[in-house]
């Protein structure tokens, strides 16, 4: 298995509430991107290590960003879990059937890797510090504290959802996966995924005291 270790760049994700999530729904990935990822997988299966490196470079930032959110802003833990995600992906690659895109398949592995981490008998405590900040404009200490508190509240609410809703909402908003891709990975229809999202956003709004969608 390739032994890649990419140190992530600083990632800033602005979604700190349900209303913000609804307003910043990620656009669907271009079909060409999915085809390129499948091509890289095929080349790696034929023994081309450069294809594996290219696949990591194309997908790392998105996988790391999702794990960064799941891990509560712990950058080191997110990097560790991302590395473990790719290790598991190389092991599972012979079983990849192409039912969903490579990126969605990787997100499922990343999500499972995170759950395995927090379900350990003696898990490492997740950091509750402020997420990395962008350079300009610099937020005030009060703004950083408010954003950090909102981020923690949202994360607790998301992790408190039922398994199917939790995977669906994190895959859509934190993993930036298209609805049709999540549906393919889950073996359900896009309509079912949209119903899950609507229910999840309603429950999150209730938990956060916001106006329900």
């Amino acid at each position: 298995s390739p032994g890649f270790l990419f140190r992530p760049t600083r990632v800033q994700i602005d979604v700190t509430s349900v209303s913000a999530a609804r307003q910043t729904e990620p656009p669907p990935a271009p079909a060409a991107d999915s085809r390129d990822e499948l091509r890289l997988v095929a080349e790696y299966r034929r023994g081309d290590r450069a294809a594996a490196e290219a696949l990591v470079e194309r997908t790392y930032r998105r996988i790391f960003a999702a794990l960064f959110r799941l891990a509560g802003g712990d950058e080191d833990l997110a990097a560790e879990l991302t590395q473990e995600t790719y290790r598991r992906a190389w092991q599972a690659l012979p079983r990849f059937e192409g039912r969903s895109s490579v990126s969605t398949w990787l997100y499922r592995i990343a999500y499972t890797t995170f759950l395995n981490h927090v379900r350990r008998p003696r898990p490492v405590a997740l950091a509750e510090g402020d997420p990395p900040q962008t350079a300009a404009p610099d937020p005030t200490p009060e703004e950083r504290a408010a954003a950090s508190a909102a981020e923690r509240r949202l994360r607790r609410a998301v992790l408190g959802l039922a398994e199917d809703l939790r995977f669906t909402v994190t895959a859509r908003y934190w993993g930036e996966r298209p609805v049709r891709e999540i549906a393919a990975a889950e073996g359900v229809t896009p309509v079912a995924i949209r119903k899950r999202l609507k229910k999840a956003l309603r429950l999150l709004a209730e938990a956060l005291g916001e106006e329900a969608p």
Side-chain angles (χ1 to χ4, degrees):
S1 299
F4 304 124
L5 178 57
F6 287 80
R7 294 302 299 174
T9 55
R10 292 277 177 173
V11 175
Q12 176 70 17
I13 306 175
D14 297 324
V15 178
T16 55
S17 70
V18 175
S19 57
R22 296 176 64 218
Q23 295 168 4
T24 57
E25 183 168 327
D33 289 350
S34 295
R35 289 195 297 270
D36 285 344
E37 290 173 1
L38 289 172
R39 174 182 57 79
L40 290 170
V41 166
E43 291 175 359
Y44 174 61
R45 281 173 165 171
R46 293 194 294 267
D48 185 352
R49 288 178 57 86
E53 291 187 18
L55 184 61
V56 172
E57 289 173 352
R58 290 176 68 95
T59 59
Y60 189 100
R61 183 177 177 84
R62 183 176 292 159
I63 295 298
F64 172 80
L67 285 167
F68 178 83
R69 292 300 299 271
L70 286 167
D74 187 331
E75 186 172 347
D76 289 336
L77 177 58
E80 175 187 335
L81 295 177
T82 303
Q83 183 73 4
E84 177 66 10
T85 294
Y86 284 100
R87 186 188 69 80
R88 294 184 180 195
W90 306 137
Q91 293 179 343
L93 194 57
R95 300 189 298 276
F96 175 62
E97 299 176 349
R99 187 172 65 178
S100 64
S101 71
V102 177
S103 289
T104 300
W105 175 73
L106 282 171
Y107 178 79
R108 166 62 83 176
I109 295 175
Y111 176 80
T112 302
T113 299
F114 168 76
L115 291 184
N116 289 342
H117 171 81
V118 298
R119 289 169 179 169
R120 289 173 185 167
R122 299 180 65 180
V124 177
L126 298 181
E128 295 290 355
D130 292 348
Q133 303 293 323
T134 52
D138 288 334
T140 65
E142 291 79 11
E143 288 171 337
R144 285 199 299 269
S148 181
E151 187 78 12
R152 289 195 297 269
R153 289 180 62 228
L154 176 61
R155 177 175 175 273
R156 284 195 295 268
V158 168
L159 296 183
L161 292 171
E163 168 62 23
D164 59 339
L165 301 181
R166 182 173 62 226
F167 173 76
T168 300
V169 78
T170 59
R172 183 70 187 115
Y173 293 106
W174 294 355
E176 299 184 356
R177 305 317 308 148
V179 166
R180 58 181 173 75
E181 289 288 340
I182 302 171
E186 291 285 89
V188 298
T189 66
V191 171
I193 292 300
R194 294 190 184 282
K195 287 182 178 179
R196 284 189 194 179
L197 287 171
K198 183 176 181 180
K199 181 177 181 180
L201 291 176
R202 176 177 58 79
L203 292 174
L204 289 174
E206 292 173 359
L208 297 173
E210 297 183 0
E211 183 179 351

